[in-house]
């Protein structure tokens, strides 16, 4: 689904119950989006309930305004759900990336500890020979030209 580029009041700019407005792009977390979606669903149910129970009013334009509000609320739901989905995927990706970075840094720390211990046990000459041998076996990994001390 493609979100329209120009804001449409009541659809891509959502009217909240407190009278404020928020654009879909301003929703920064999936939890915030879920709260707004719950508010929209509540408003839809309230309007439908007023229609079902034949709410009487002295204002002849009430029904027209209520129908327009209902239509806008219903049209904003899929766009908001899409935004929530995008935010959830981004949040999951960020969480997964953080956990992978933690694992990666732990593995890197273990490798570094191994290299330092091997350097202490084998000495500079032997480590330089191992480095040269590794460079011969996989030259693509050593393209930066840095030596074993880097």
């Amino acid at each position: 689904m493609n979100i329209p580029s120009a804001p449409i009041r009541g659809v891509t700019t959502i009217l909240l119950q407190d009278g404020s407005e928020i654009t879909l792009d301003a929703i920064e977390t999936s939890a915030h989006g879920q709260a707004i979606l719950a508010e929209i669903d509540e408003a839809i149910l309230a309007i439908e309930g007023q229609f079902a129970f034949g709410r009487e009013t002295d204002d002849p334009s009430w029904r027209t305004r209520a129908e327009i509000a209902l239509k806008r609320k219903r049209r904003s739901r899929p766009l908001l759900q899409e935004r929530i989905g995008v935010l959830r995927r981004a949040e999951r990706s960020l969480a997964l990336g953080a956990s992978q970075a933690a694992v990666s840094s732990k593995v890197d720390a273990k490798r570094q500890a191994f290299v330092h211990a091997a350097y202490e046990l084998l000495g500079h000459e032997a480590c330089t020979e191992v480095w040269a041998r590794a460079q011969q076996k996989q030259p693509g990994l050593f393209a930066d030209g840095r030596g074993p001390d880097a």
Side-chain angles (χ1 to χ4, degrees):
M1 182 178 291
N2 216 356
I3 296 175
S5 58
I8 302 170
R9 189 166 195 242
V11 178
T12 58
T13 300
I14 299 171
L15 305 171
L16 302 175
Q17 287 177 344
D18 64 3
S20 62
E21 294 182 9
I22 188 167
T23 62
L24 291 175
D25 294 336
I27 300 170
E28 296 180 355
T29 65
S30 63
H32 186 213
Q34 281 297 124
I36 294 171
L37 185 62
E39 188 175 309
I40 288 173
D41 288 342
E42 186 179 310
I44 288 172
L45 288 174
I47 294 169
E48 288 174 341
Q50 290 172 359
F51 285 150
F53 295 114
R55 179 179 182 269
E56 296 297 324
T57 181
D58 295 334
D59 186 1
S61 66
W62 171 84
R63 185 163 188 89
T64 303
R65 288 193 330 258
E67 287 171 348
I68 290 170
L70 185 60
K71 182 177 169 182
R72 286 182 175 170
K73 297 282 185 198
R74 285 181 177 155
R75 286 179 60 201
S76 66
R77 282 189 93 258
L79 298 174
L80 179 57
Q81 288 173 323
E82 181 180 347
R83 176 71 177 159
I84 291 169
V86 167
L87 292 170
R88 278 188 182 150
R89 285 187 293 279
E91 289 166 357
R92 263 192 302 249
S93 174
L94 187 62
L96 184 61
S99 67
Q100 285 177 344
V103 168
S104 177
S105 74
K106 188 174 182 179
V107 168
D108 288 343
K110 285 181 181 180
R111 287 180 182 149
Q112 186 129 19
F114 172 80
V115 168
H116 286 298
Y119 202 85
E120 285 177 12
L121 286 173
L122 300 175
H124 180 72
E125 300 289 324
C127 286
T128 304
E129 286 180 36
V130 171
W131 187 269
R133 177 75 158 251
Q135 194 171 14
Q136 287 174 349
K137 289 188 170 254
Q138 294 192 2
L141 296 175
F142 295 85
D144 63 1
R146 294 174 22 184
D149 298 331

